[in-house]
Each structure stands twice: as structure tokens, then as C-alpha cells.
């Protein structure tokens, strides 16, 4: 995550290419540090940030024509990233043939088993509080009925365009909203399909890297055409697809310091007149439009003093992967606990299948998560950090006048003793176990550095995923 990739960009004068340091390695972004965070001043944004920090758990989804192949989303289009992103695909006579085949996937993408209401029901059952959905990845394919591109789910050359759920974003967003689940729209600032970003008649020719195929400072009119296109699509999503709680902007190399200024703040301020308080996550950029930071496939080692969200895959890939292996409910809940006690949210990613269904392995884990959260969610949702945060397998959250001590177990064969040490030094009048099925607390005693709690004899010899003690 800490490696840096040097990317060809223009200098301040626009005369020669400079090597701009970028925080993306093999498609994975690093995340902005606390010192670059700028706290919003708009009281409506601050209120929405409080809402965001209450939610704790979101369902992230990467879905598009690429799911048919079971390969990484978009990145195989970049010739500069071919070494790691074109694994297992026998299209490599030339890079051009590969890109032609990839861009033609829209003609076979037909997810006729897509049922947005079922997705939303499952998300609700799993304890999800918001949806983070890929409206458009770097490949430029739009999962909504955009009026600014023909490369979209509703275009005549996509067989799904006649389906009753053809405008996927519209139906998906509404289904989730009806169940009280918030909506965050993922949007790539790069677009590798539109000719105002990637062109062949440039000095670089057909060889493409993740940035534009020309230097914006040398071709300002072309760049302005791309900026207008991007603003139009952001405006379209923000004005025609219902309430958005957040917009989540990927492609961190598209930024002012890299010579690719799309003037994101300008369009965000415009759409906030329609979507008051809408959050903006301009990933890895820092400043006033990165309202929360987004560690990818990792969890910070310590609590952060700013709003944050780790996006982590349920399987091994953000996009659908054939015969993928999915984390167990125990693994994901323990991951969620580790994140929440450090003050963050977890956006757990599931890649839907090309036919429109969710993978059976993912469904099993989501249901298992929901079972635990239906009992212990009180210690997760709406909480804030509480010192000492985490010691060993014991983490702490707080809400109102209650401190929650969450003891997690990595394996069902771990020892779940009837005497528990809780390293919390605040004053406690009462200790109880959350969850009617758990062994009740029979006594507790304050000792140096914490409390020793004694429980009734447990019936099961298997360690639970995690158990929760309420300290009041």
C-alpha cells in the first residue's frame, strides 16, 4: 500500500512530462493521512458526517460487463498495467485486440436474473446501513441511463436494455432506499472509453496508461471537453436518481496536482444545492472535498481522529471471480469490530455474478453477519471510540452512558473462559452481558487496570464469534 507508482504527467509549464507520485499499486489506493484532512464548514455536511459515522457497515458492489470474465475490473485496459491485470486471458496477440474485446463486453452483458428487491432484502438482513455502488468504473461503462454516453446498460447494443430493470442504478437505489438503507454512488473520475480522455491520434498513440492520452496543459480545449462531460454525468446522477447520501470518487490520479483538474469542488457545490449535505469522498486528494478517507484492503493500525471507511473485499476480488473464496461470518465480524473500535466504517464488497445473482458463498456470509448483528448490533451502530480502544481480543465502543467491551474470537476452538478480564479503568456500577443467549454475569470486581468479570457456566464449548459486555 505504501509503494508509489510514477506516472507521466505534465509539468507546471506544460513543456515536459513530470513523474507525478501516485498512491495506486496494482489497482489499490492508499489513503490520505489525518494531517491533510480539512473539516467541512457547512453544518449540513457536518450533520451528514455524524450520520455516516453512525452507520458503521456498508455494502460495496463492483459490477459491470467485466464480471462476465471473472477478471479485475477495468485495469486490464491500461497497457501500462497489463503485467498484473491481464492474468488468465488469452487475448494478448496485441494490446489492441485485448482492448477491442474488452470494450465489446457490453454486447453480451445480460444479467436477466437481477432482482434489486432481493438484493435489498439481503442487505437489510445482513445489517447493512448503506449501499456503495459502482455507477461507472474506469472503463467508462455506465450502469444508469446516462444521456452523455452510448456506452451504457440501456444502450441498444446491450441486450439488457429491454429488461424492466434496465436502468440498474435507478431500480437498485430505490429498492435500498425503501428499506431505509443509505445510498453512496461510486464514480470514476477517469473514463477510458470517452475520446476526450483516451485518444489514439496523440504522441503516445495506441499505448495507454491510466491517465489521459494527452497532456491537458497542451490541449486545454480537449481537457475542457472532458471536464464538461464529467460534470454533466455527476449532475445527472445527483439530480435524476433520488437522494444521494454520498458520492465516492475513484481514480486518485485525476487531480489538480497531477495536471488533471476536473474542478470537482465546482460541481459538488452545485449539486449540494439539490442534495444538501451530500458527502464527497475525493479519494487520496485531501482538502475540503475528501469528507472521509478510504483505506483500501487494509485497516489502520490505530484509531483515526477523522471520519474514515475501509473498503475490503468479501472474497479475493472487488469484481466477481469464478470459484472465489469468501470470508466467513466470523472473519468479517471480527474485521468489523477491529474497524469500529478504531472509529471507522466497513464497506464490505461483494461482486455480483454476470447473470445478476449474488454468489451463494457471499450470501451465506452476509446472512451469518446479520445473525450476529441482530443480537449485538447495539455495540456497533451509532457508537464512538472509547479508550483503551483495543487490547488483545477486547475492543471498546461507547454510546450514551454505556461502554461496550467486545471480546472477539478468531476461531471457534479458542478458549471462551467464564472469567473475563476487561482492561477498562473508568468507573463502572454495573456489568451485564448483551444477548439473551449468553451466559449471565454473576459478579465483577475492580482490580488494578480493569475489572474481573465472572460468568455463569457456558453450555457450548465452542467460542462465539464475539461476545459483548455492557459497562454502566
Amino acid at each position: 500500500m505504501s509503494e508509489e507508482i510514477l506516472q507521466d504527467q505534465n509539468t507546471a509549464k506544460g513543456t515536459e512530462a513530470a513523474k507525478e507520485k501516485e498512491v495506486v499499486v496494482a489497482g489499490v489506493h492508499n489513503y490520505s493521512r489525518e494531517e491533510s484532512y480539512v473539516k467541512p464548514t457547512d453544518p449540513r455536511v457536518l450533520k451528514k458526517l455524524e450520520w455516516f459515522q453512525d452507520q458503521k457497515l456498508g455494502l460495496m458492489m463492483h459490477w459491470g460487463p467485466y464480471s462476465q470474465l471473472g477478471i479485475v475490473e477495468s485495469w486490464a485496459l491500461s497497457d501500462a498495467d497489463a503485467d498484473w491485470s491481464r492474468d488468465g486471458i488469452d487475448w494478448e496477440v496485441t494490446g489492441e485486440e485485448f482492448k477491442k474485446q474488452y470494450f465489446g463486453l457490453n454486447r453480451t452483458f445480460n444479467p436477466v436474473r437481477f432482482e434489486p428487491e432481493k438484493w435489498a432484502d439481503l442487505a437489510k438482513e445482513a445489517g447493512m446501513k448503506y449501499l456503495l455502488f459502482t455507477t461507472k468504473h474506469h472503463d467508462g461503462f455506465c450502469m444508469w441511463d446516462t444521456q452523455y454516453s452510448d456506452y451504457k446498460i440501456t444502450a441498444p447494443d446491450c441486450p439488457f436494455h429491454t429488461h424492466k430493470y434496465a436502468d440498474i442504478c435507478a431500480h437498485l437505489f430505490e429498492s435500498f432506499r425503501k428499506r431505509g438503507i443509505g445510498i453512496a454512488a461510486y464514480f470514476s473520475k477517469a473514463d477510458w472509453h470517452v475520446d476526450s480522455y483516451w485518444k489514439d491520434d496523440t504522441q503516445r498513440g495506441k499505448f495507454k496508461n491510466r491517465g489521459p492520452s494527452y497532456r491537458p496543459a497542451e490541449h486545454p480545449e480537449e481537457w475542457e471537453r472532458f471536464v464538461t462531460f464529467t460534470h454533466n454525468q455527476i449532475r445527472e446522477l445527483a439530480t435524476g436518481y433520488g437522494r444521494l447520501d454520498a458520492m465516492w470518487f475513484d481514480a486518485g490520479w485525476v487531480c489538480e496536482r497531477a495536471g488533471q483538474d476536473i474542478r470537482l469542488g465546482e460541481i459538488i457545490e452545485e449539486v449540494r444545492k439539490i442534495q444538501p449535505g451530500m458527502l464527497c469522498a475525493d479519494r487520496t486528494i485531501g482538502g475540503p472535498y475528501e469528507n472521509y478517507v478510504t483505506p483500501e484492503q487494509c485497516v489502520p493500525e490505530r484509531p483515526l481522529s477523522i471520519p474514515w471507511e475501509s473498503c475490503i473485499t468479501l472474497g479475493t476480488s472487488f469484481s466477481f471471480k469464478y470459484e472465489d473464496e469468501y470470508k466467513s461470518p466470523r472473519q468479517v465480524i471480527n474485521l468489523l469490530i477491529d474497524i469500529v473500535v478504531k472509529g471507522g466504517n466497513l464497506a464490505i464488497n461483494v461482486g455480483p455474478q454476470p447473470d445478476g445473482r449474488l454468489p451463494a458463498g457471499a450470501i451465506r456470509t452476509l446472512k451469518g453477519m446479520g445473525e450476529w448483528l441482530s443480537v449485538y448490533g447495539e455495540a456497533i451502530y451509532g457508537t464512538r471510540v472509547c479508550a483503551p480502544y483495543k487490547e488483545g481480543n477486547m475492543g471498546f465502543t461507547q454510546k450514551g452512558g454505556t461502554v461496550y467491551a467486545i471480546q472477539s474470537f478468531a476461531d471457534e476452538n479458542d478458549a471462551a473462559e467464564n472469567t473475563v478480564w476487561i482492561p477498562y479503568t473508568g468507573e463502572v456500577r454495573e456489568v451485564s452481558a448483551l444477548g439473551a443467549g449468553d451466559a449471565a454475569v454473576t459478579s465483577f470486581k475492580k482490580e488494578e487496570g480493569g475489572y474481573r468479570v465472572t460468568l455463569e457456566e457456558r453450555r457450548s464449548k465452542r467460542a462465539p464469534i464475539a461476545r459483548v459486555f455492557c459497562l454502566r
Side-chain angles (χ1 to χ4, degrees):
M1 293 292 292
S2 61
E3 278 186 63
E4 296 173 326
I5 288 181
L6 297 176
Q7 179 171 351
D8 186 27
Q9 300 296 351
N10 63 295
T11 62
K13 295 181 180 179
T15 56
E16 293 206 3
K19 296 293 185 179
E20 177 66 25
K21 293 181 178 179
E22 181 48 52
V23 283
V24 184
V25 176
V28 176
H29 280 68
N30 204 331
Y31 61 96
S32 300
R33 305 303 176 184
E34 291 166 286
E35 54 268 23
S36 65
Y37 186 75
V38 175
K39 186 176 180 179
T41 56
D42 184 337
R44 294 167 298 186
V45 175
L46 290 171
K47 183 178 179 181
K48 182 64 75 171
L49 268 177
E50 284 297 313
W51 169 88
F52 174 77
Q53 291 180 287
D54 283 343
Q55 305 312 298
K56 303 304 181 189
L57 181 61
L59 176 63
M60 188 180 201
M61 293 181 137
H62 281 68
W63 196 33
Y66 48 79
S67 65
Q68 297 171 93
L69 301 182
I71 64 169
V72 64
E73 63 288 343
S74 296
W75 286 98
L77 288 168
S78 169
D79 296 303
D81 293 282
D83 58 336
W84 64 267
S85 64
R86 294 181 185 173
D87 265 359
I89 301 294
D90 191 20
W91 293 350
E92 298 185 52
V93 176
T94 66
E96 285 315 293
E97 179 63 18
F98 185 98
K99 285 178 278 189
K100 178 182 175 183
Q101 295 276 6
Y102 184 109
F103 279 130
L105 289 169
N106 63 312
R107 297 193 294 271
T108 53
F109 188 46
N110 194 22
V112 293
R113 302 185 74 176
F114 170 55
E115 296 179 275
E117 298 287 330
K118 285 188 177 180
W119 286 19
D121 282 340
L122 178 62
K124 185 77 173 178
E125 182 181 350
M128 301 298 171
K129 297 300 182 181
Y130 60 96
L131 169 71
L132 173 53
F133 184 73
T134 47
T135 65
K136 181 180 77 167
H137 208 265
H138 314 328
D139 60 11
F141 187 81
C142 300
M143 299 289 275
W144 80 99
D145 187 26
T146 180
Q147 301 306 301
Y148 299 100
S149 172
D150 292 329
Y151 197 53
K152 60 181 179 178
I153 192 69
T154 55
D157 59 354
C158 180
F160 195 64
H161 81 277
T162 59
H163 197 278
K164 63 179 180 179
Y165 296 138
D167 192 338
I168 284 175
C169 285
H171 293 285
L172 198 58
F173 290 177
E174 190 56 30
S175 295
F176 276 68
R177 283 194 202 98
K178 284 193 302 186
R179 289 154 180 80
I181 299 173
I183 304 297
Y186 170 113
F187 183 92
S188 172
K189 296 182 293 183
D191 189 313
W192 295 342
H193 187 267
V194 68
D195 65 359
S196 56
Y197 196 80
W198 266 11
K199 300 168 65 70
D200 289 341
D201 58 344
T202 62
Q203 185 177 6
R204 189 178 293 145
K206 294 182 181 296
F207 184 89
K208 300 295 193 298
N209 65 21
R210 63 188 61 159
S213 58
Y214 60 91
R215 294 171 184 156
E218 295 178 2
H219 301 275
E221 292 182 1
E222 198 64 41
W223 183 251
E224 188 59 30
R225 193 161 69 93
F226 178 69
V227 171
T228 299
F229 164 78
T230 303
H231 283 201
N232 282 339
Q233 287 203 319
I234 293 170
R235 186 183 298 110
E236 190 175 49
L237 284 167
T239 59
Y241 285 81
R243 188 197 71 248
L244 297 182
D245 296 293
M247 290 197 78
W248 200 92
F249 293 98
D250 208 359
W253 61 89
V254 181
C255 61
E256 182 179 7
R257 65 175 174 261
Q260 299 182 51
D261 185 8
I262 60 168
R263 306 194 303 278
L264 183 63
E266 182 182 303
I267 186 63
I268 293 301
E269 291 305 322
E270 178 186 327
V271 301
R272 275 178 174 165
K273 295 174 183 176
I274 299 144
Q275 301 271 5
M278 184 189 79
L279 300 179
C280 177
D282 192 13
R283 305 186 68 202
T284 73
I285 304 305
Y289 298 102
E290 190 174 15
N291 300 147
Y292 58 94
V293 301
T294 56
E296 183 171 343
Q297 295 287 52
C298 69
V299 179
E301 293 182 0
R302 58 174 180 79
L304 301 184
S305 62
I306 60 176
W308 62 279
E309 166 200 81
S310 277
C311 52
I312 296 177
T313 54
L314 184 60
T316 60
S317 170
F318 280 103
S319 55
F320 172 71
K321 181 179 178 181
Y322 291 95
E323 300 179 348
D324 205 355
E325 296 181 2
Y326 296 96
K327 297 176 179 67
S328 67
R330 182 182 297 272
Q331 289 174 305
V332 180
I333 292 298
N334 284 341
L335 178 64
L336 175 64
I337 292 167
D338 186 38
I339 288 170
V340 170
V341 301
K342 295 173 182 174
N345 287 13
L346 169 62
I348 191 74
N349 183 91
V350 174
Q353 295 179 172
D355 65 359
R357 293 177 298 166
L358 300 180
I363 291 173
R364 284 193 293 271
T365 294
L366 292 172
K367 286 178 176 289
M369 292 168 58
E371 289 175 6
W372 189 89
L373 286 163
S374 67
V375 177
Y376 302 103
E378 177 187 329
I380 299 295
Y381 303 120
T383 62
R384 293 295 183 270
V385 295
C386 177
Y389 313 114
K390 188 175 184 181
E391 290 193 12
N393 69 334
M394 185 76 72
F396 296 86
T397 61
Q398 63 182 337
K399 180 169 54 181
T402 302
V403 169
Y404 300 96
I406 310 172
Q407 185 182 29
S408 55
F409 297 92
D411 189 274
E412 66 175 22
N413 295 315
D414 288 352
E417 304 289 352
N418 294 324
T419 300
V420 181
W421 174 249
I422 300 179
Y424 177 73
T425 57
E427 287 300 316
V428 174
R429 302 185 311 275
E430 174 189 344
V431 179
S432 61
L434 184 62
D438 286 353
V441 173
T442 58
S443 66
F444 71 96
K445 180 182 179 182
K446 185 175 185 179
E447 299 179 7
E448 184 177 353
Y451 293 84
R452 194 166 301 281
V453 177
T454 303
L455 309 175
E456 292 178 343
E457 188 73 25
R458 294 182 68 248
R459 296 174 186 171
S460 175
K461 297 303 180 183
R462 295 180 178 180
I465 290 175
R467 56 188 178 184
V468 176
F469 302 96
C470 303
L471 315 181
R472 297 182 177 91

